[in-house]
């Protein structure tokens, strides 16, 4: 075990833990935002640079500060490391810079985007971004493409976090999904626009932090905050069968995996509860599911507001 | 003795690219010597003594880099030669490989022997297809003569050498991207740590060295590390290939002893012979496109008034405020007619094109800078754009996965620092600026 200090909070974590995961153990304000890191996917992270933190002291043995800001998701902790996140002006300034970079080519079409309300980029922009853009050039645009008959790719909204690439690589059995072109023109694509034809391909929708990959069976049906998230279960031969049903009245509008407060798919019984395409796209009838209770959405987005008594809501009420 | 050449002395002898002629002029002497009388650690020791610093741009001591290589039992180690030379302004490795391919192969044998690698690679830039053929021919000759393959010259040491071409991406010159590309993947730089010395090619310890660094091992073994270290000044030892281009009277590849003054290099008869067409010097980029540009008053003298020398330290004197870097040795000279804004845009365009698109500051930032510079250059700029550029720069620098972000940010930052007036002139007198830039003006307009 090693001792680290993040924003003046001390914590003991195991050797080899990343700074981000150490911060998540503390929870709350000290957790840096992460757009590309996904703890359930191997080798994700390091790309978006929103989780940059300042290392004020490298370790107890070598207390020199690190000259550059480091990506907290991919930097392991050392004993006696002192990390500054929210308390560092440098971090805040550079994070605002990264948010600006992520948004310059983003279409900001939230009013018509299905992800709005549960979008990580919205949260990030709201918390760390600036009110105005300085970008006067044309935004880069792509045509939306279909990846199979159930998934829509809006490359315009993509922030190239590579999460879906890792998900497609690690959850499905083919390397049909990846990045083509480079630099500003890099785009997510499947092998010459072939469909990803796989029982777990739908999970790329769940890992996408923005509205680039959306569920075609749900597109334009409803805003997410009008729906009631319910925990549902069914016996499935392929996956855990434990999902969140997004309902309006007695109708299921969409099915997603169960996600934790960082938007990552939860572990159930020690296994990440990815759900299969059958559960996600085909089972939209209430009679197919056993509803076990309301789902508490532990995110700070609008969808968690005013639904059920969540930790967040009670806190807000107490303040008022 | 001044003006010694250790690498390209024999480059102009006809037929030097063949094994026989190369050997006749002293080639493969170092391999014979090392395999017979030196242990691998002795070779590493000589390289450490020589003070050789990486010739690819960063200038990290080669001997030290070698000593970082992890040596776990039962896991192969690899040496990879980085011949993906694509920095604008740099063409020294190309010259070396084109003319004396056997020098690189000899260096590869020595370095692989020193590191205990039994399979080594030369990763060559995709545009250098004809050099690939030259190298493959030379390697075949070396195999025939028993300098490569099993049991080299009866020493019991095996080495296989392969040349692999890339697809021509600048980013694949970054060592971890090079390794990814060599593994057959998309050339995206890896996130460090782990460093290649611990986990490189196929997860094995790997050393990646520049062509010139590897070639320099040959004279080091031949003459001993100490006598190599005697050349040069301070921590800049030995000789360095400099590729001079731009508005000099005699562009080309020169081998200099580190420590020659910049003034002598630009105006000396042995070297560039001054600025072409009798024009005046305006600016100079001394180490390839990614290093900061120097205005004429800082080229031959440092800010403190000392002579600027062609060494790692002297060129970096004054930090980025008034200095630059030796970098990879791509010496680009601008005369008084050249437009710095146009040139900066050109560099920015290169980096925007070559960014791999993996991390957001570089992907979005380089493209943004290119667009703003394009506007400035084409007469559609605003005064506030100049500050905006400086801001974007600060947000890219140091925040990216690999040094490409820094390399894209430095030249723009330096150009604004030293030539701000010219940027402003492009905004305030846009028509005049446009005329001059397209060479339509008879009389050069001075700013």
């Amino acid at each position: 075990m090693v001792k680290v200090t993040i924003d003046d909070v001390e914590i003991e974590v195991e050797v080899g833990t990343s700074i981000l995961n150490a911060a998540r153990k503390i929870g709350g304000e000290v957790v840096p935002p992460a757009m590309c890191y996904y703890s359930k996917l191997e080798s994700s992270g390091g790309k978006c640079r929103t989780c940059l933190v300042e290392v004020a002291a490298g370790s107890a043995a070598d207390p020199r500060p690190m000259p550059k800001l480091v990506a907290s998701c991919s930097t392991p902790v050392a004993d006696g490391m002192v990390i500054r996140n929210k308390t560092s002006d440098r971090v805040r300034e550079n994070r605002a810079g990264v948010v600006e970079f992520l948004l310059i080519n983003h279409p900001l079409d939230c009013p018509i985007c299905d992800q709005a309300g549960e979008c990580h980029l919205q949260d990030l922009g709201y918390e760390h971004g600036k009110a105005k853009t300085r970008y006067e050039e044309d935004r880069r645009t792509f045509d939306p493409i279909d990846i199979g008959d159930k998934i829509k790719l809006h490359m315009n909204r993509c922030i190239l976090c590579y999460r879906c690439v890792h998900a497609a690589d690690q959850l499905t059995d083919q390397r049909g999904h990846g990045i083509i072109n480079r630099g500003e023109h890099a785009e997510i694509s499947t092998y010459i626009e072939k469909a990803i034809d796989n029982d777990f391909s739908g999970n790329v929708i769940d890992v996408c932090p923005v509205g680039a990959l959306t569920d075609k069976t749900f597109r334009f049906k409803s805003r997410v905050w009008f729906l009631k998230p319910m925990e549902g279960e069914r016996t499935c031969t392929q996956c855990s069968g434990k999902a969140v049903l997004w309902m309006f009245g007695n109708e299921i509008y969409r099915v997603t995996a169960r996600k934790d407060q960082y938007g990552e798919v939860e572990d159930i019984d020690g296994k990440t509860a990815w759900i299969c395409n059958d559960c996600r796209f085909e089972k939209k009838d209430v009679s197919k599911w056993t509803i076990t209770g309301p789902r508490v959405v532990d995110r700070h987005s609008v969808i968690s507001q005013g639904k059920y008594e969540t930790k967040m809501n009670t806190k807000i009420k107490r303040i008022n | 003795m001044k003006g010694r050449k250790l690498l390209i002395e024999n480059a102009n002898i006809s037929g030097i690219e063949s094994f026989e002629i190369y050997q006749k002029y002293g080639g493969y002497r170092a391999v014979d010597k090392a395999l017979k009388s030196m242990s691998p650690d002795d070779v590493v020791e000589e390289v450490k003594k020589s003070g050789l610093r990486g010739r690819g741009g960063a200038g990290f001591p080669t001997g030290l880099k070698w000593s970082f290589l992890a040596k776990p039992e039962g896991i192969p180690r690899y040496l990879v030669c980085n011949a993906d030379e694509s920095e604008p302004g740099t063409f020294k490795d190309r010259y070396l490989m084109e003319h004396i391919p056997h020098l690189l192969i000899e260096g590869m044998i020595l370095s692989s022997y020193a590191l205990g690698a039994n399979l080594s690679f030369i990763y060559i830039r995709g545009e250098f297809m004809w050099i690939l053929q030259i190298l493959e021919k030379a390697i075949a000759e070396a195999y025939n003569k028993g300098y490569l393959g099993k049991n080299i010259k009866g020493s019991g040491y095996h080495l296989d050498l392969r040349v692999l071409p890339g697809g021509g991406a600048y980013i694949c010159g970054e060592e971890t991207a090079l390794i990814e590309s060599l593994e057959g993947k998309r050339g995206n730089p890896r996130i460090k740590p782990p460093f290649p010395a611990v986990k490189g090619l196929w997860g094995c310890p790997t050393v990646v060295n520049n062509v010139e660094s590897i070639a320099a091992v040959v004279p080091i073994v031949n003459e001993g590390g100490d006598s190599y270290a005697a050349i040069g000044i301070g921590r800049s030892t030995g000789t360095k290939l400099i590729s001079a281009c731009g508005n000099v009277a005699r562009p080309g590849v020169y081998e200099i002893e580190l420590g020659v003054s910049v003034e002598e290099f630009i105006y000396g008869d042995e070297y560039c012979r001054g600025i072409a067409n009798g024009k005046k010097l305006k600016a100079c980029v001394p180490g390839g496109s990614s290093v900061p540009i120097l205005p004429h008053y800082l080229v031959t003298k440092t800010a403190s008034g000392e002579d600027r020398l062609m060494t790692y330290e002297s060129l970096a004197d004054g930090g980025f405020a008034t200095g630059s870097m030796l970098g990879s040795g791509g010496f680009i000279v601008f005369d008084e007619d050249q437009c710095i804004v146009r040139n900066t845009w050109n560099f920015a365009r290169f980096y925007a094109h070559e960014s791999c698109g993996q991390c957001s500051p570089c992907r979005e930032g380089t493209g943004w800078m290119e667009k703003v510079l394009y506007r400035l250059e084409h007469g559609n700029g605003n005064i506030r754009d100049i500050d905006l550029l400086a801001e974007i720069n600060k947000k890219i620098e140091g925040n990216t996965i690999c040094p490409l972000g820094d390399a894209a940010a430095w030249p723009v930052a330096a150009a604004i620092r030293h030539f701000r007036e010219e940027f402003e002139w492009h905004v305030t007198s846009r028509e005049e600026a446009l005329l001059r830039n397209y060479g339509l003006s008879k009389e050069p307009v001075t700013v």
Side-chain angles (χ1 to χ4, degrees):
Chain A
M1 299 295 267
V2 291
K3 239 187 214 154
V4 292
T5 314
I6 306 173
D7 278 356
D8 307 321
V9 186
E10 214 169 82
I11 191 174
E12 266 199 9
V13 290
E14 274 169 49
V15 182
T17 315
S18 67
I19 297 174
L20 183 70
N21 281 332
R24 281 185 179 181
K25 276 202 166 161
I26 301 172
E29 286 276 279
V30 302
V31 185
M35 298 296 285
C36 67
Y37 174 73
Y38 203 86
S39 59
K40 309 291 167 5
L41 296 171
E42 251 177 72
S43 69
S44 65
K47 298 181 173 65
C48 70
R49 317 306 278 182
T50 53
C51 69
L52 291 175
V53 292
E54 187 180 333
V55 177
S59 67
D62 182 9
R64 283 177 305 172
M66 291 189 186
K68 288 180 181 179
L69 299 180
V70 299
S72 59
C73 62
S74 54
T75 310
V77 292
D79 195 29
M81 201 183 238
V82 179
I83 296 136
R84 281 154 40 100
N85 174 31
K86 278 244 152 172
T87 52
S88 161
D89 289 339
R90 207 170 131 211
V91 170
R92 281 205 299 270
E93 201 179 296
N94 280 287
R95 193 169 288 157
V98 173
V99 177
E100 188 174 22
F101 285 138
L102 287 175
L103 288 175
I104 58 169
N105 278 309
H106 191 78
L108 294 173
D109 56 349
C110 308
I112 56 146
C113 175
D114 285 301
Q115 190 84 0
E118 53 176 14
C119 176
H120 292 231
L121 192 59
Q122 271 185 334
D123 295 351
L124 188 77
Y126 184 71
E127 281 167 22
H128 304 280
K130 291 183 181 131
K132 275 187 174 171
T133 181
R134 295 180 288 179
Y135 189 67
E136 294 169 21
E137 273 66 38
D138 290 340
R139 285 158 203 266
R140 64 162 177 259
T141 50
F142 301 90
D143 290 331
I145 52 171
D146 288 331
I147 299 182
D149 56 346
K150 294 291 192 308
I151 306 169
K152 191 85 171 175
L153 170 64
H154 273 272
M155 200 46 222
N156 286 351
R157 297 172 185 158
C158 180
I159 57 161
L160 285 163
C161 69
Y162 283 60
R163 275 185 187 179
C164 60
V165 177
H166 293 302
D169 204 20
Q170 288 162 32
L171 301 181
T172 69
D173 55 2
Q174 53 191 22
R175 258 185 80 193
H177 184 96
I179 308 275
I180 56 169
N181 298 336
R182 71 181 176 218
E184 245 201 333
H185 307 287
E187 59 177 301
I188 302 285
S189 184
T190 52
Y191 189 64
I192 319 186
E193 293 193 20
K194 261 189 179 171
I196 358 175
D197 184 17
N198 203 290
D199 288 336
F200 282 82
S201 62
N203 286 296
V204 296
I205 300 165
D206 274 349
V207 300
C208 185
V210 293
L213 289 160
T214 48
D215 183 344
K216 279 178 83 179
T217 62
F218 174 63
R219 267 162 66 82
F220 309 132
K221 290 264 166 65
S222 172
R223 310 297 338 201
V224 284
W225 56 85
F226 293 142
L227 303 175
K228 296 246 184 263
M230 305 296 271
E231 286 189 0
E233 258 183 60
R234 63 180 285 268
T235 332
C236 178
T237 47
Q238 303 190 77
C239 67
S240 64
K242 293 187 170 66
V244 178
L245 314 174
W246 296 79
M247 302 177 66
F248 192 84
N250 216 15
E251 228 178 300
I252 297 176
Y253 271 64
R254 69 162 179 172
V255 182
T256 64
R258 296 183 183 178
K259 297 186 198 174
D260 63 12
Q261 56 175 319
Y262 303 112
E264 295 180 1
V265 176
E266 266 182 4
D267 280 344
I268 298 172
D269 305 329
K271 263 179 87 180
T272 310
W274 305 107
I275 60 168
C276 65
N277 287 2
D278 195 33
C279 291
R280 183 189 303 273
F281 299 125
E282 309 296 343
K283 301 291 181 279
K284 293 283 176 80
D285 189 342
V286 165
S287 63
K288 300 278 197 309
W289 296 86
T290 315
I291 293 171
T292 53
R295 172 75 185 172
V296 176
V297 177
D298 199 4
R299 290 274 316 280
H300 40 297
S301 302
V302 282
I303 36 168
S304 61
Q305 306 295 314
K307 285 273 175 347
Y308 308 106
E309 281 297 300
T310 62
K311 281 177 220 159
M312 190 77 180
N313 289 349
T314 31
K315 225 184 259 172
I316 292 167
K317 269 183 196 156
R318 219 178 292 143
I319 293 164
N320 291 340
Chain B
M1 193 169 72
K2 240 181 152 209
R4 279 216 297 173
K5 287 184 182 167
L6 301 175
L7 301 173
I8 56 168
E9 174 83 79
N10 299 330
N12 290 326
I13 294 166
S14 75
I16 192 78
E17 64 273 10
S18 77
F19 184 90
E20 281 76 23
I21 311 271
Y22 179 72
Q23 201 180 28
K24 197 173 124 197
Y25 285 92
Y28 288 98
R29 214 157 27 103
V31 175
D32 292 334
K33 179 182 168 189
L35 291 181
K36 250 180 221 133
S37 61
M38 291 168 88
S39 74
D41 287 341
D42 289 343
V43 181
V44 177
E45 206 43 51
E46 286 302 318
V47 174
K48 269 191 184 168
K49 265 196 261 173
S50 74
L52 173 68
R53 291 170 69 174
R55 302 296 197 220
F60 191 80
T62 305
L64 197 60
K65 189 176 190 175
W66 286 8
S67 63
F68 287 152
L69 184 72
K71 294 183 175 168
E73 278 295 305
I75 293 175
R77 301 188 278 276
Y78 296 105
L79 170 69
V80 180
C81 171
N82 183 349
D84 191 77
E85 178 182 57
S86 12
E87 178 107 347
T90 311
F91 44 88
K92 63 185 178 64
D93 295 343
R94 165 185 160 173
Y95 181 87
L96 198 147
M97 291 188 289
E98 232 178 341
H99 287 84
I100 10 178
H102 279 288
L103 184 69
L104 175 62
I105 292 161
E106 190 177 359
M108 282 300 280
I109 301 169
L110 290 169
S111 312
S112 305
Y113 176 68
L115 296 168
N118 295 105
L119 176 58
S120 297
F121 296 93
I122 298 172
Y123 181 89
I124 193 165
R125 181 183 175 193
E127 285 92 335
F128 286 169
M129 269 307 167
W130 79 99
I131 302 181
L132 177 91
Q133 286 164 5
I134 294 172
L135 283 174
E136 275 184 341
K137 197 168 151 259
I139 287 174
E141 282 178 322
Y143 266 107
N144 274 339
K145 301 287 174 183
Y147 278 98
L148 282 173
K150 289 238 173 304
N151 195 10
I152 295 171
K153 292 284 150 192
S155 65
Y157 173 65
H158 316 297
L159 175 66
D160 280 305
L161 185 57
R162 301 264 179 282
V163 195
L164 290 168
Y170 174 69
I171 189 65
C172 290
E174 199 275 341
E175 55 180 4
T176 52
L178 188 154
I179 289 170
E180 285 277 298
S181 172
L182 210 52
E183 287 181 7
K185 299 178 193 151
R186 183 184 159 85
N188 278 357
R190 290 179 183 172
I191 291 143
K192 287 163 272 185
F195 289 92
V198 181
K199 237 179 149 187
L201 193 57
W202 296 299
C204 302
T206 307
V207 166
V208 182
N209 275 136
N210 179 256
V211 170
E212 195 190 339
S213 313
I214 287 175
V217 177
V218 177
I220 289 170
V221 169
N222 268 333
E223 300 178 22
D226 287 328
S227 76
Y228 188 86
I231 309 170
I233 293 174
R235 286 183 59 228
S236 302
T237 59
T239 63
K240 168 105 185 72
L241 297 179
I242 303 285
S243 51
C245 60
N247 305 110
V248 286
R250 207 169 62 138
V253 177
Y254 298 98
E255 184 167 6
I256 59 156
E257 287 188 12
L258 287 171
V260 171
S261 74
V262 176
E263 188 160 12
E264 192 188 337
F265 185 72
I266 298 178
Y267 298 103
D269 274 350
E270 269 178 82
Y271 305 110
C272 300
R273 291 189 188 160
I275 311 299
N277 308 323
K279 299 245 160 104
K280 273 189 288 195
L281 175 72
K282 179 175 186 181
C284 170
V285 176
S289 64
S290 59
V291 309
I293 193 168
L294 292 173
H296 63 89
Y297 54 89
L298 287 172
V299 173
T300 53
K301 294 266 190 252
T302 64
S304 53
E306 290 165 34
D307 279 346
R308 211 184 269 284
L309 309 175
M310 299 287 275
T311 62
Y312 290 96
E313 291 80 18
S314 179
L315 279 170
D317 187 89
F320 279 180
T322 57
S324 184
M325 279 164 81
L326 180 59
S328 57
F331 200 87
I332 311 170
V333 176
F334 302 92
D335 72 20
E336 55 196 316
D337 289 352
Q338 304 308 315
C339 171
I340 296 299
V341 180
R342 189 174 184 78
N343 170 64
T344 311
W345 166 58
N346 192 23
F347 283 168
R349 190 174 56 162
F350 173 79
Y351 289 108
H353 181 66
E354 295 295 343
S355 164
C356 77
Q358 199 182 193
C359 61
S360 27
C362 178
R363 177 184 65 237
E364 308 293 349
T366 51
W368 192 1
M369 283 203 298
E370 190 269 330
K371 288 182 190 128
V372 174
L373 280 162
Y374 178 86
R375 266 197 294 126
L376 277 171
E377 162 64 18
H378 290 81
N380 301 318
N382 260 316
I383 283 290
R384 65 170 185 273
D385 286 337
I386 303 166
D387 286 324
L388 174 67
L389 275 176
E391 268 282 297
I392 301 172
N393 255 300
K394 272 189 220 145
K395 295 285 151 54
I396 300 176
E397 195 187 334
N399 288 347
T400 53
I401 294 176
C402 78
L404 193 135
D406 301 343
W410 289 341
V412 180
I416 295 175
R417 196 180 306 125
H418 298 303
F419 295 94
R420 197 181 183 99
E421 284 164 13
E422 194 167 332
F423 279 86
E424 285 169 2
W425 181 70
H426 267 256
V427 176
T428 50
S429 358
R430 51 191 66 180
E431 273 155 33
E432 219 180 333
L434 277 171
L435 278 174
R436 192 186 77 172
N437 286 355
Y438 292 110
L440 299 172
S441 164
K442 285 274 186 296
E443 290 165 12
V445 187
T446 42
V447 185

